[in-house]
Amino acid sequence: MEVVVSSSLGRIRNIGITAHIDAGKTTTTERILYYTGVSHKIGEVHDGNTTTDYMDQERERGITITSAAVTCEWKDHRINIIDTPGHIDFNIEVNRSLRVLDGAVFIIEGVAGVQPQSETNWRLADRYNVPRIIFINKLDRTGADFYRAADTLKEKLDIVFVPLQLPIGIEDTFIGVVDLVEMRAIVWEGGELGAKFHYEDIPADLAESAAKYRENLLDTVLSQDNAAMEQYFDTGDVDVATLKKCIKRGTISGDFRPVLCGTAFKNKGVQPLLDAVIDYLPSPIDVPGIKVAAEEGVEESIHDDRRVIPANPDAPFAGLAFKIINDKYGTLTFVRVYAGTLKSGDTVMNTTKDNKERIGRMFQMHADKRAEIKEVHAGDIAAFVGLKDTGTGDTLAAAEDPVILERMSFPVPVIDISVEPKTKDGVEKMTMGLAKRIRRRRQHRRAASGLSRDHQQGAYRDLHPQEADRWLGSVRRSEDHLRAAGAQRRRALRE
C-alpha cells in the first residue's frame, strides 16, 4: 500500500459516508477508490470483495458491520474517508465516526428517499454539527424519482436543501446530470467503468427546469455574501468561483444542504461528488476546532464558552481516540489528531486517565491494510499500536498543555450476553480478557453475576443481537477457552 503524504491543512478533507442500509454507501466508496486510483478493480457488495467490507461476517451477510478508514487523493487534495454501517444494530460505529469528522456525505436512496436510519444518522450529525452534502443515489432503479426523493428531505429531516444537479433521464434512461453551478450537462459515455464522461449543452427538454432550479440556487446561496448578492442584482448572475464560495459557506454553517445525484452502481455521478467534497466540505481549518471538555459532572451543552483547540500543526499535541480494534497484529487505536505533531517514540499524556503513553508504531490505514508512517500532524487520522491503557473517547495530549477534549457520548446498552469459561482453569483468563475488551470499549459494560468462582459469569452488554453475535464469534475464534452460555436479552423501551 502506498502512503499518502501529509498535506497542508487546507487540502485535507476528513469525511464520513453514511446512510440507511442498502442505500449504496460501500458501493459509492468503492467507486471513489477506483476513480482516485487507489484501487485498480471495482469490488461489489454482492460479490463479497469490496475494500471496506473486509470482515468475514460482512462479506457473508453483504452488510457493513464496522466502520473502515481509507485514504485517497483527488485534484491535489487528500481525502480521509470513513465508510460507516447503515444498520441500526451498529449505530455506535456511526456515532463515534461522526464525532471526529469535519464533514459527511449523506446518501439517500432514489426510490425510497429518506429512510429511518437516515433520520437517526442525521440527528447524530446535528449533535456534532457536522457539515453535510447529500447524494441521491440509485437513480437507475425502477421506481426512482429524484424530485420525490428530494421532497422527503424537507418532509422528514425538515431542512433547507439546494439541488446543485438535476438528472438527465431516469431509471434505465439515466445517462448524466445537469450541473446547475456551471450550467452544463455532464454525460457519461458508458464503458471504462464510468471513467469517461463529457460536457455538453443542457438538453432542450430540461432547459426550463434547469433555469428554474438555477434561480432557486442563486436566491438561496447568495444570501451568504452581501457582495455576491449585489453582483447578482447588478448583472443578473455571478461567476462560478463566487457561487462555489457561497455554497461552501452555507454548507459549513448548515443554512442549507447541497444535493447531488447519480447512480454509483452504474458508475455515474461519482466524480462530480468528489469535486463537491473538495469544493464544499470543510478542511480542518475551515471549522472552529474542538472544544475542551467541561468539568466532570457538568453538562457540556450548558457551558458553551469553553476553550477551543484549533487545527494547528505547531501547537502542543492533542488527539482523540475514537475507535479500538483487536486483530492478529495486536490492538490498534484510531486517533484523530486535532493539533500538533507526533512522532514514533514520543510520549504523551492520556489526560482522561492521567497516565503516560509511549507512542510506538503508527499506521495509515486502508481498511484492513496498513502502511507505517513516522509522524502525524493536525488534521490526520491514524492508527497507533501498543497503547497500554487508552480507551474509546480518551484524550491524548502533550504534557505542556494537558487538555481533555469533548467527551464522546454513547447510547445506553440494551442487550445482556452471558459467557462462561469452558473449563475451571479458564476463569482467570476469561475475566482478564473481558476486562481488557470492556476497558477499551466504553459502550460495553461488564457485571459479575455474584456466583461462585466455578460458575462466574461475565455479562456483556451491547446494542443488538447481531452485534453481540459478532463479538461472541470473535471470542470463539480467539479465546478457545470461552463458550457462549446463552443470552438473556433485555431491550430498553425507547423510541
Side-chain angles (χ1 to χ4, degrees), residues 164-405:
L164 305 185
Q165 298 174 344
L166 301 178
I168 301 176
I170 200 67
E171 299 181 357
D172 58 354
T173 65
F174 179 80
I175 59 170
V177 299
V178 173
D179 179 357
L180 297 173
V181 175
E182 302 199 33
M183 289 303 284
R184 60 187 180 183
I186 307 174
V187 177
W188 276 263
E189 299 173 5
E192 299 290 331
L193 295 175
K196 286 189 176 182
F197 56 89
H198 65 269
Y199 303 107
E200 61 182 48
D201 293 337
I202 297 172
D205 62 332
L206 288 174
E208 183 178 347
S209 181
K212 170 187 170 184
Y213 279 92
R214 166 78 175 189
E215 183 177 357
N216 174 70
L217 170 64
L218 296 175
D219 289 345
T220 303
V221 309
L222 295 184
S223 62
Q224 300 292 317
D225 188 298
N226 290 333
M229 185 66 79
E230 290 179 6
Q231 180 186 351
Y232 177 49
F233 287 147
D234 291 342
T235 65
D237 207 348
V238 293
D239 59 273
V240 171
T242 298
L243 183 54
K244 287 185 175 181
K245 180 181 71 173
C246 292
I247 295 172
K248 181 173 183 177
R249 185 176 297 175
T251 302
I252 295 173
S253 67
D255 290 343
F256 53 79
R257 308 295 182 185
V259 177
L260 298 94
C261 62
T263 166
F265 182 62
K266 293 296 179 67
N267 310 311
K268 297 179 177 69
V270 177
Q271 296 95 330
L273 176 62
L274 279 165
D275 290 339
V277 168
I278 300 302
D279 291 336
Y280 309 131
L281 289 180
S283 72
I285 57 176
D286 292 325
V287 290
I290 186 171
K291 292 183 178 180
V292 301
E295 296 295 327
E296 191 70 35
V298 177
E299 181 65 37
E300 290 185 338
S301 59
I302 297 175
H303 295 276
D304 208 33
D305 56 348
R306 288 170 282 128
R307 176 187 168 193
V308 174
I309 307 296
N312 180 0
D314 299 321
F317 180 82
L320 187 71
F322 67 94
K323 177 181 173 68
I324 294 177
I325 63 173
N326 298 284
D327 65 10
K328 59 184 178 181
Y329 300 107
T331 300
L332 284 174
T333 304
F334 287 76
V335 176
R336 163 67 196 268
V337 181
Y338 285 98
T341 299
L342 194 66
K343 297 181 180 180
S344 296
D346 288 350
T347 298
V348 295
M349 293 291 297
N350 180 327
T351 52
T352 306
K353 295 176 179 172
D354 196 25
N355 58 30
K356 293 182 179 180
E357 290 276 19
R358 186 179 183 279
I359 306 302
R361 302 173 73 190
M362 300 185 292
F363 294 97
Q364 183 180 93
M365 299 301 295
H366 186 69
D368 60 335
K369 298 179 176 61
R370 62 185 71 183
E372 187 167 2
I373 53 179
K374 297 301 181 182
E375 62 182 30
V376 292
H377 309 271
D380 287 346
I381 294 176
F384 297 177
V385 176
L387 300 187
K388 302 297 184 183
D389 194 28
T390 295
T392 304
D394 286 356
T395 297
L396 299 174
E400 62 266 32
D401 189 14
V403 296
I404 300 178
L405 303 179

Side-chain angles (χ1 to χ4, degrees), residues 109 132 226 259 310 327 330 339 410 462:
E109 214 262 3
R132 282 146 272 175
N226 290 333
V259 177
D327 65 10
F410 298 110
D462 210 316

Side-chain angles (χ1 to χ4, degrees), residues 6 47 78 100 109 149 178 183 202 252 260 315 375 418 440 450 463 480:
S6 181
D47 291 332
R78 175 154 60 91
V100 298
E109 214 262 3
V178 173
M183 289 303 284
I202 297 172
I252 295 173
L260 298 94
E375 62 182 30
S418 295
R440 289 174 173 162
L463 296 177
D480 196 39

